[in-house]
Amino acid sequence: MPSLPLRWRTSTVAGAQWTATFTLRDDTGSPMNVSGKTFEFTIRPTTADASVPALVAVSATPASQGYLTVNTATAVVQVVLTPAATALLGTGCRPFALWMDPGLPDQTCLVEGPFYSRLASSP
């Protein structure tokens, strides 16, 4: 696997469902061993202060902002944000990150980058 975190940019329309799928590979190109690992996807207001609560935070436990699923056999992580979560973003660009084992001593930022959101006219 290339050095971590991988840099990736993404975008959505505020108030729309957003989904992304990440396939995690080790240095040999094989599926990464993710058995027993926890994951969290966050979007923060800024990168300046990590103590500020995330605007959006999803884990494997389904909640109003969304959820993520992990296939341990294929090392695939799918993140789903609900329309309620993306509506919080309005228009702009904010930093996001996909974390493995967040809050633990071996926490690893797997993917990070800018998350762009924009308003769209109503149907």
Side-chain angles (χ1 to χ4, degrees):
M1 177 168 227
S3 61
L4 296 175
L6 296 175
R7 185 109 170 113
W8 184 64
R9 76 174 85 198
T10 188
S11 65
T12 191
V13 171
Q17 181 167 305
W18 178 88
T19 303
T21 302
F22 303 95
T23 302
L24 308 177
R25 303 276 180 201
D26 64 18
D27 292 334
T28 68
S30 299
M32 183 185 286
N33 181 1
V34 296
S35 294
K37 301 292 186 179
T38 59
F39 294 85
E40 183 179 56
F41 182 90
T42 59
I43 302 173
R44 295 203 166 278
T46 70
T47 57
D49 188 355
S51 67
V52 174
L55 288 172
V56 175
V58 298
S59 66
T61 304
S64 63
Q65 292 191 338
Y67 60 92
L68 55 85
T69 58
V70 179
N71 181 322
T72 56
T74 59
V76 171
V77 178
Q78 182 181 53
V79 181
V80 177
L81 301 182
T82 64
T86 64
L88 297 171
L89 303 175
T91 298
C93 178
R94 291 167 188 81
F96 82 89
L98 174 63
W99 290 92
M100 182 169 64
D101 288 340
L104 297 177
D106 66 341
Q107 71 181 0
T108 304
C109 183
L110 299 171
V111 184
E112 60 88 24
F115 195 109
Y116 297 93
S117 60
R118 64 194 181 286
L119 299 176
S121 60
S122 297

